[in-house]
Amino acid sequence: QVQLVESGGGLVQPGGSLRLSCVASGETLATYSIGWFRQAPGKEREEILCITSLNGITTSADSVKGRFTISRDNAKNTVYLQMNSLKPEDTAVYYCAAGQRCLGTFGSWGQGTQVTVSS
């Protein structure tokens, strides 16, 4: 199965930007739908954005509309999450996951990367 590794998290001030990467190994990402999820302490894990193998995009979190963008580069076997205008409530562990469809079960998950938005 495909293995996923997230990177790019860190500490950023409110209003700042981060670009998260989800790099696949063992198998190409081209045929998978890839979702970005996040989980803050004491909160349920939520799906943020998902991109299909045909580059259809689903925005599941209204709070990120206009601020976050998901994209893929199949040549690099990588999916990105560009996060702009970050807010303290964006603080969470961010995960990427691969599945057959965005509105379904994701079978492969990365280890997560911490994003902290604080002044």
Side-chain angles (χ1 to χ4, degrees), residues 65-83:
K65 290 182 178 179
R67 301 189 298 121
F68 290 12
T69 303
I70 190 171
S71 62
R72 67 161 75 230
D73 186 339
N74 287 339
K76 297 181 178 179
N77 222 22
T78 301
V79 173
Y80 302 98
L81 181 66
Q82 178 67 47
M83 304 186 295

Side-chain angles (χ1 to χ4, degrees), residues 7-118:
S7 63
L11 176 64
V12 64
Q13 293 186 349
S17 298
L18 284 174
R19 181 184 176 93
L20 305 184
S21 297
C22 176
V23 181
S25 62
E27 193 173 349
T28 180
L29 283 182
T31 62
Y32 286 93
S33 293
I34 305 297
W36 279 101
F37 299 76
R38 67 184 181 185
Q39 187 167 22
K43 296 183 178 180
E44 296 182 358
R45 185 176 63 199
E46 66 170 340
E47 184 171 353
I48 308 166
L49 288 161
C50 186
I51 186 167
T52 71
S53 61
L54 298 178
N55 287 330
I57 297 173
T58 299
T59 303
S60 298
D62 290 340
S63 62
V64 310
K65 290 182 178 179
R67 301 189 298 121
F68 290 12
T69 303
I70 190 171
S71 62
R72 67 161 75 230
D73 186 339
N74 287 339
K76 297 181 178 179
N77 222 22
T78 301
V79 173
Y80 302 98
L81 181 66
Q82 178 67 47
M83 304 186 295
N84 299 325
S85 301
L86 283 162
K87 304 175 181 180
E89 53 262 42
D90 295 319
T91 296
V93 178
Y94 284 71
Y95 302 88
C96 64
Q100 293 186 351
R101 62 187 67 86
C102 285
L103 298 178
T105 301
F106 294 85
S108 298
W109 292 78
Q111 83 290 347
T113 185
Q114 176 71 48
V115 172
T116 302
V117 184
S118 176

